[in-house]
Amino acid sequence: MAADEPPKEVTSKVKSEPKEVTSEVKSEPQDEKVDIEIKAESNGSEGKQLKEDTTETKKFDKEDDYGYTKADFFTSEIFKIEIKNIPPHYGYGNWKKLFKNKLKVPAHKIQVIQNIKKVYVTFKNEEDRQKAIEGINGMIIKKCTLEAKVARPKKDAMAQKRGHHGDDNNDVEAKAPKIENPEETLKNTLIPWWNMDYEEQLKLKEKSVVDCLTDFHKHISNVRNIDREIFVWIMERKRNGNCLLCPVLPILPSPDVVEYRNKCSFTISKNLAGEVTVGNRLGKYRDQLCAVESPAALKHVPQPMKDVCKLLQDLVAISKYSVYNRHSHEGYWQEIVLRSNRENHMLALINFCRQDLSDEAVGEVKEELKKHFDGKLHTLLFSATKVRDRQSDDIPPSLIAGEGCIYEKLFDFNFRISPKAFFQCNTGAAEVLYRTIEEMANHNRDTATRDSSDDILLDICCGTGTIAICMSKSFNKVYGVDMCAPGIEDAKLNAKLNGVTNVEFRVGKAEDTIYGILKSLPPHANVVAVVDPPRNGLHPKVIAAIRGRQQIKSLVYVSCSITQTKANVNDLTRNASKKLNGPAFKPIKCRPVDLFPHTKHVEVVTLYERITTQPSVEEVKNANTEVEKPSTEEGVEKPSNGEVEKPSTGDAVEKPSTEEGVEKPSNGEVEKPSTGDAVEKPSTEEGVEKPSTEEGVGKPSNGEVEKPSTGDAVEKPSTEEGVEKPSTEGVEDKMEVD
């Protein structure tokens, strides 16, 4: 609408002739509200003054790579700085602490580029940017003097991909890949194994776990500072031809393989034909596949959820508010999150981008939803936020109908499920998973231990307390820890709902909360820890906290992506150091559990036990030499006839190494021993003594090499003992301690 033309609905209310109508437009920026006053006169009477407030959304030029910075939605790229001459090995975490703790300026985004020694930081306003520049300039970090200046925003990647030919009215871009069968594309994206027999899926998932543990075994075998008992464990498995980190028990299938999901998110957008659709995206934003397709063909989505999507789709299609466009950030309807239970009670959370709508307009949308879904949902919630606030947890959703939550039953316990609470997406398989966790936790726990008051379960990353409450009958006391405050509140409500009194939940960082809990327990307490972290595993500080508290005797690690836990496995099994105090953990066994049929994902439950006794020197030596026979560099080579080879006259005794062998005398030759003579056997019980340059076979007073006495036997390295036998202080070079 042009600024100098009155709106059609306003013009219709003016009774005078068009000639007599004058418009006075206040000169204001294009993105501000424009007041249009229309004055008219009729039959000599004083003209009636009509006023209308209209809001013009500032649309950016899609042909401009930087056009998005001029739009009325927020982007931190316009408050960006560049910092040069940054020190090496100074990463994201260091910069985040610098801005937060020292400069007292909250950074919005931080990108460290070490190869050019620069870091780019964005802020939420100009004041923070200027304050950061003033604080950074001239600062010295690790002998590097920093320089900061204003930086240009990034180019709009999507504008470049569009080739400057964007579509103003549709999420479907002109250069998006052509899709002939959207339904099949959607199935291949979300459930790529939809056309595979379920038994074959289980075999592939179990094989993927075996392959991953084989890779872990290979990786840990090459770690120099591995714990000694872990080394024995690894070498024994290698000697037996089983190159796995630990035994893999058979995979447990999901009780339900179709319509098993109890939580799904659906995007409100347009399909390839430009029609309003509530469903799932066909691909990724970076691939320009922003069109959505109906979930009707997805076998893992329950039918009641599909019905709700169709109901909402019918409403949005006739709504005066358009769907949200993820390229231009225009529009209103964004997505719907659905949760259900075994009784088919449905919870719906609808996300709506309010843009600049008034509270009255938002209220009308809520009333419209309430009438449309009357009696069809157990709980309906509505979240109306602006673009910049969409991911904020400070704006709770408003309740339109119902209790605001639903309830689900696991075993004999009932659990309250709020809109954003974590709960396993496959309820039937979750019971299988928790039963497996309990079996792992009860490994080597005798009856006397279970009846003891010091028998403790520590549930780390407890969420809403499902694991802690389900296992409360097996332990005397249970503690749950999580840094998500709403999740802990749900956990406390769930404990009260089920009458469980031996469970205590605490909110806070795991590394801090664990210390506070275990400090109050006696040193001899038997603590079993269960961790069910996010997909990328536990933070190293949490691993360090678990290692440092020796009351934790065993650990049950639940992973939904075992390939991403390699760093955690390495930290659990490596030798003690300054950062990792306390004895290491040894992997005992693991079992895959399928919670996600028709996908490649699988949960893996692994049992670790704390190392309490160190292996004997003999065990270490056997584990090390059973696999690799000593070469001529490691000791005296064993001839094929089983006897020690007699050195010929003038042959020098072979020097295994400067540290491991017998030092060569100054004259360069060793006197030929007579028949039956052999090198004197060391008196120590630890095998061939490791001589230094001063402790080797020295030169006698007469200047000649001392001849061994008759009858002394040459120590014969067997395939079990090798030559060098590590002392109790450490292991061989492969096991060198940091």
mmCIF file of all heavy atoms in Angstrom, residues 449 452-456 518 520-527 549-553:
data_model
loop_
_atom_site.group_PDB
_atom_site.id
_atom_site.type_symbol
_atom_site.label_atom_id
_atom_site.label_comp_id
_atom_site.label_asym_id
_atom_site.label_seq_id
_atom_site.Cartn_x
_atom_site.Cartn_y
_atom_site.Cartn_z
ATOM 1 N N THR A 449 24.509 -56.035 50.000
ATOM 2 C CA THR A 449 24.772 -54.679 49.514
ATOM 3 C C THR A 449 23.482 -53.918 49.293
ATOM 4 O O THR A 449 23.357 -52.740 49.624
ATOM 5 C CB THR A 449 25.578 -54.739 48.203
ATOM 6 O OG1 THR A 449 26.796 -55.456 48.432
ATOM 7 C CG2 THR A 449 25.896 -53.344 47.701
ATOM 8 N N SER A 452 21.901 -52.523 52.413
ATOM 9 C CA SER A 452 22.703 -51.571 53.169
ATOM 10 C C SER A 452 22.178 -50.152 52.973
ATOM 11 O O SER A 452 21.657 -49.796 51.918
ATOM 12 C CB SER A 452 24.168 -51.650 52.719
ATOM 13 O OG SER A 452 24.917 -50.603 53.275
ATOM 14 N N SER A 453 22.344 -49.344 54.018
ATOM 15 C CA SER A 453 21.913 -47.943 53.928
ATOM 16 C C SER A 453 22.830 -47.123 53.039
ATOM 17 O O SER A 453 22.491 -46.005 52.655
ATOM 18 C CB SER A 453 21.883 -47.327 55.330
ATOM 19 O OG SER A 453 23.180 -47.381 55.917
ATOM 20 N N ASP A 454 23.990 -47.674 52.720
ATOM 21 C CA ASP A 454 24.949 -46.973 51.872
ATOM 22 C C ASP A 454 24.813 -47.379 50.403
ATOM 23 O O ASP A 454 25.687 -47.080 49.593
ATOM 24 C CB ASP A 454 26.385 -47.261 52.336
ATOM 25 C CG ASP A 454 26.616 -46.779 53.760
ATOM 26 O OD1 ASP A 454 26.001 -45.764 54.125
ATOM 27 O OD2 ASP A 454 27.393 -47.418 54.484
ATOM 28 N N ASP A 455 23.742 -48.062 50.063
ATOM 29 C CA ASP A 455 23.500 -48.484 48.686
ATOM 30 C C ASP A 455 22.761 -47.353 47.962
ATOM 31 O O ASP A 455 21.579 -47.110 48.212
ATOM 32 C CB ASP A 455 22.672 -49.772 48.680
ATOM 33 C CG ASP A 455 22.519 -50.353 47.292
ATOM 34 O OD1 ASP A 455 23.501 -50.362 46.539
ATOM 35 O OD2 ASP A 455 21.403 -50.780 46.958
ATOM 36 N N ILE A 456 23.464 -46.651 47.052
ATOM 37 C CA ILE A 456 22.963 -45.407 46.480
ATOM 38 C C ILE A 456 22.916 -45.509 44.950
ATOM 39 O O ILE A 456 23.814 -46.067 44.324
ATOM 40 C CB ILE A 456 23.862 -44.213 46.877
ATOM 41 C CG1 ILE A 456 24.080 -44.176 48.387
ATOM 42 C CG2 ILE A 456 23.279 -42.899 46.368
ATOM 43 C CD1 ILE A 456 22.844 -43.928 49.197
ATOM 44 N N LEU A 518 27.844 -36.564 47.188
ATOM 45 C CA LEU A 518 28.727 -37.633 47.662
ATOM 46 C C LEU A 518 29.576 -37.210 48.850
ATOM 47 O O LEU A 518 30.088 -38.061 49.591
ATOM 48 C CB LEU A 518 29.626 -38.107 46.515
ATOM 49 C CG LEU A 518 28.896 -38.683 45.299
ATOM 50 C CD1 LEU A 518 29.884 -39.197 44.265
ATOM 51 C CD2 LEU A 518 27.954 -39.811 45.719
ATOM 52 N N SER A 520 28.503 -35.892 51.462
ATOM 53 C CA SER A 520 27.755 -36.228 52.675
ATOM 54 C C SER A 520 27.673 -37.732 52.923
ATOM 55 O O SER A 520 27.178 -38.155 53.969
ATOM 56 C CB SER A 520 26.333 -35.657 52.584
ATOM 57 O OG SER A 520 25.640 -36.224 51.479
ATOM 58 N N LEU A 521 28.150 -38.548 51.986
ATOM 59 C CA LEU A 521 28.095 -40.002 52.126
ATOM 60 C C LEU A 521 29.415 -40.532 52.662
ATOM 61 O O LEU A 521 30.475 -39.933 52.446
ATOM 62 C CB LEU A 521 27.797 -40.648 50.765
ATOM 63 C CG LEU A 521 26.479 -40.236 50.091
ATOM 64 C CD1 LEU A 521 26.350 -40.920 48.737
ATOM 65 C CD2 LEU A 521 25.286 -40.575 50.971
ATOM 66 N N PRO A 522 29.397 -41.661 53.359
ATOM 67 C CA PRO A 522 30.651 -42.242 53.864
ATOM 68 C C PRO A 522 31.541 -42.705 52.716
ATOM 69 O O PRO A 522 31.041 -43.044 51.635
ATOM 70 C CB PRO A 522 30.178 -43.423 54.719
ATOM 71 C CG PRO A 522 28.806 -43.744 54.219
ATOM 72 C CD PRO A 522 28.220 -42.448 53.764
ATOM 73 N N PRO A 523 32.847 -42.745 52.925
ATOM 74 C CA PRO A 523 33.764 -43.134 51.841
ATOM 75 C C PRO A 523 33.519 -44.543 51.321
ATOM 76 O O PRO A 523 33.820 -44.831 50.150
ATOM 77 C CB PRO A 523 35.146 -43.019 52.494
ATOM 78 C CG PRO A 523 34.953 -42.094 53.644
ATOM 79 C CD PRO A 523 33.567 -42.327 54.138
ATOM 80 N N HIS A 524 32.994 -45.428 52.165
ATOM 81 C CA HIS A 524 32.786 -46.815 51.751
ATOM 82 C C HIS A 524 31.431 -47.026 51.069
ATOM 83 O O HIS A 524 31.053 -48.162 50.779
ATOM 84 C CB HIS A 524 32.887 -47.743 52.967
ATOM 85 C CG HIS A 524 31.852 -47.456 54.023
ATOM 86 N ND1 HIS A 524 32.053 -46.516 55.018
ATOM 87 C CD2 HIS A 524 30.597 -47.959 54.232
ATOM 88 C CE1 HIS A 524 30.988 -46.466 55.799
ATOM 89 N NE2 HIS A 524 30.088 -47.333 55.343
ATOM 90 N N ALA A 525 30.685 -45.951 50.827
ATOM 91 C CA ALA A 525 29.361 -46.087 50.203
ATOM 92 C C ALA A 525 29.483 -46.733 48.829
ATOM 93 O O ALA A 525 30.448 -46.510 48.095
ATOM 94 C CB ALA A 525 28.694 -44.722 50.096
ATOM 95 N N ASN A 526 28.491 -47.548 48.493
ATOM 96 C CA ASN A 526 28.465 -48.218 47.190
ATOM 97 C C ASN A 526 27.487 -47.463 46.283
ATOM 98 O O ASN A 526 26.277 -47.610 46.393
ATOM 99 C CB ASN A 526 28.030 -49.672 47.347
ATOM 100 C CG ASN A 526 27.992 -50.399 46.018
ATOM 101 O OD1 ASN A 526 28.891 -50.245 45.206
ATOM 102 N ND2 ASN A 526 26.948 -51.179 45.791
ATOM 103 N N VAL A 527 28.021 -46.640 45.401
ATOM 104 C CA VAL A 527 27.207 -45.779 44.548
ATOM 105 C C VAL A 527 27.251 -46.294 43.113
ATOM 106 O O VAL A 527 28.328 -46.539 42.561
ATOM 107 C CB VAL A 527 27.699 -44.320 44.598
ATOM 108 C CG1 VAL A 527 26.850 -43.435 43.690
ATOM 109 C CG2 VAL A 527 27.676 -43.800 46.029
ATOM 110 N N ARG A 549 35.272 -39.083 42.241
ATOM 111 C CA ARG A 549 34.539 -39.548 43.417
ATOM 112 C C ARG A 549 34.559 -41.069 43.450
ATOM 113 O O ARG A 549 33.799 -41.741 42.756
ATOM 114 C CB ARG A 549 33.100 -39.032 43.399
ATOM 115 C CG ARG A 549 32.964 -37.535 43.241
ATOM 116 C CD ARG A 549 33.769 -36.759 44.259
ATOM 117 N NE ARG A 549 33.371 -37.053 45.631
ATOM 118 C CZ ARG A 549 33.954 -36.555 46.694
ATOM 119 N NH1 ARG A 549 34.993 -35.751 46.552
ATOM 120 N NH2 ARG A 549 33.518 -36.861 47.899
ATOM 121 N N GLN A 550 35.451 -41.624 44.267
ATOM 122 C CA GLN A 550 35.675 -43.068 44.256
ATOM 123 C C GLN A 550 34.546 -43.853 44.920
ATOM 124 O O GLN A 550 34.563 -45.082 44.903
ATOM 125 C CB GLN A 550 37.007 -43.381 44.926
ATOM 126 C CG GLN A 550 38.199 -42.784 44.198
ATOM 127 C CD GLN A 550 39.527 -43.295 44.715
ATOM 128 O OE1 GLN A 550 39.648 -44.448 45.119
ATOM 129 N NE2 GLN A 550 40.532 -42.428 44.710
ATOM 130 N N GLN A 551 33.569 -43.168 45.483
ATOM 131 C CA GLN A 551 32.393 -43.888 45.988
ATOM 132 C C GLN A 551 31.569 -44.473 44.841
ATOM 133 O O GLN A 551 30.805 -45.413 45.032
ATOM 134 C CB GLN A 551 31.528 -42.937 46.816
ATOM 135 C CG GLN A 551 32.205 -42.463 48.098
ATOM 136 C CD GLN A 551 31.876 -41.017 48.377
ATOM 137 O OE1 GLN A 551 32.089 -40.161 47.526
ATOM 138 N NE2 GLN A 551 31.378 -40.729 49.566
ATOM 139 N N ILE A 552 31.714 -43.912 43.641
ATOM 140 C CA ILE A 552 31.015 -44.447 42.465
ATOM 141 C C ILE A 552 31.762 -45.695 42.008
ATOM 142 O O ILE A 552 32.838 -45.619 41.416
ATOM 143 C CB ILE A 552 30.948 -43.403 41.338
ATOM 144 C CG1 ILE A 552 30.230 -42.147 41.821
ATOM 145 C CG2 ILE A 552 30.256 -43.978 40.116
ATOM 146 C CD1 ILE A 552 30.149 -41.030 40.790
ATOM 147 N N LYS A 553 31.181 -46.847 42.295
ATOM 148 C CA LYS A 553 31.843 -48.115 41.991
ATOM 149 C C LYS A 553 31.536 -48.617 40.581
ATOM 150 O O LYS A 553 32.339 -49.332 39.985
ATOM 151 C CB LYS A 553 31.421 -49.181 43.018
ATOM 152 C CG LYS A 553 31.742 -48.826 44.458
ATOM 153 C CD LYS A 553 33.232 -48.676 44.694
ATOM 154 C CE LYS A 553 33.573 -48.561 46.182
ATOM 155 N NZ LYS A 553 32.977 -47.403 46.843
#
